[in-house]
Amino acid sequence: SAALHNIGLTYFGQKQYKEALRYFHQSLTIDEELGDIPSIIITCENIADIYIGLEMYHAAIKYAKQSLEMALAFNLKTDIMNAYGLLHRIEEQNKNYKDALEYHEKFKQYSDSIYNAEVNTKIDVLEEQYLKERSEKQSILESKEDEINLIRVQEKEHAVTQYIFIIGLVLIIFVALVYIIFFLMRRTKYS
């Protein structure tokens, strides 16, 4: 079915509508036997689109409505939107402007609904990404602050060690001087 559908799409792209129809109908037959609803809907949409190109609006409306009914039954919003778009084009070509307007309004309603859902999904993804990045940056910032605090503590410990060493050295020198002076005074006293 998929291979036949793809061949039909190729002919459709080349505007060889009759060949495309042949392959789409073969694909549709298989899809209906399999009960593959999404494939049936898409194939009906493509068949309706070809019939519009051939200006066979009575056939186009049949497949567009079949696509719409199935899409509505399964709440497939994109396919509902596509079917309303096809019906709008058909009724516009048939100069049924009231129906065309009604279909266009429904097309626009579903189009906006899909667009809003996509935008909301993108916003949710971006917000989640922002929060994740913010959390990661906050974590990095906190780890850098911890490193800075650790370095400050080490510097203070190093400074205290230096002060203790200097005070100890000064005391040793003082004690040595006192001892030398005491030793010299004692020596002069006995001499």
Side-chain angles (χ1 to χ4, degrees):
S1 171
L4 292 168
H5 190 91
N6 288 336
I7 294 169
L9 285 174
T10 303
Y11 281 117
F12 182 52
Q14 297 172 349
K15 298 186 192 248
Q16 295 182 24
Y17 297 133
K18 291 184 181 184
E19 284 297 314
L21 273 175
R22 188 164 63 92
Y23 285 99
F24 282 139
H25 280 293
Q26 289 175 14
S27 174
L28 182 60
T29 301
I30 294 170
D31 291 337
E32 288 173 340
E33 288 174 9
L34 295 173
D36 186 351
I37 302 302
S39 294
I40 293 170
I41 293 170
I42 290 170
T43 304
C44 286
E45 289 172 2
N46 288 330
I47 292 171
D49 206 5
I50 289 173
Y51 282 129
I52 291 171
L54 292 171
E55 298 180 2
M56 297 175 66
Y57 304 117
H58 61 285
I61 204 161
K62 172 188 170 193
Y63 286 97
K65 284 187 175 181
Q66 182 180 349
S67 172
L68 177 61
E69 288 172 12
M70 294 183 85
L72 285 169
F74 291 94
N75 197 27
L76 302 172
K77 290 183 180 181
T78 302
D79 292 314
I80 294 169
M81 177 193 71
N82 292 338
Y84 279 131
L86 289 168
L87 289 166
H88 164 257
R89 286 173 48 208
I90 294 165
E91 293 302 345
E92 191 173 55
Q93 292 298 320
N94 282 333
K95 299 186 184 354
N96 294 332
Y97 297 117
K98 182 181 175 189
D99 290 340
L101 178 61
E102 184 180 320
Y103 287 133
H104 180 71
E105 288 173 350
K106 289 181 179 179
F107 167 82
K108 190 69 176 144
Q109 176 186 353
Y110 277 92
S111 174
D112 290 347
S113 171
I114 291 167
Y115 175 75
N116 288 338
E118 289 174 359
V119 167
N120 288 338
T121 301
K122 287 179 183 178
I123 288 171
D124 290 345
V125 167
L126 288 174
E127 187 175 337
E128 184 178 317
Q129 183 180 359
Y130 167 75
L131 292 173
K132 181 181 175 188
E133 287 176 5
R134 190 173 110 193
S135 174
E136 289 172 356
K137 286 179 182 179
Q138 185 67 27
S139 175
I140 290 170
L141 186 62
E142 288 172 359
S143 71
K144 293 295 181 189
E145 286 177 2
D146 289 345
E147 288 178 25
I148 290 170
N149 289 335
L150 180 63
I151 290 171
R152 285 182 181 157
V153 167
Q154 289 174 344
E155 287 175 352
K156 285 180 182 178
E157 288 176 355
H158 184 68
V160 168
T161 304
Q162 284 181 337
Y163 291 140
I164 291 173
F165 177 74
I166 291 171
I167 291 171
L169 187 61
V170 168
L171 282 174
I172 289 173
I173 292 172
F174 180 74
V175 169
L177 282 175
V178 169
Y179 183 72
I180 291 173
I181 292 173
F182 179 73
F183 181 70
L184 288 176
M185 284 178 54
R186 204 166 168 209
R187 199 183 220 197
T188 49
K189 195 175 185 187
Y190 289 116
S191 332

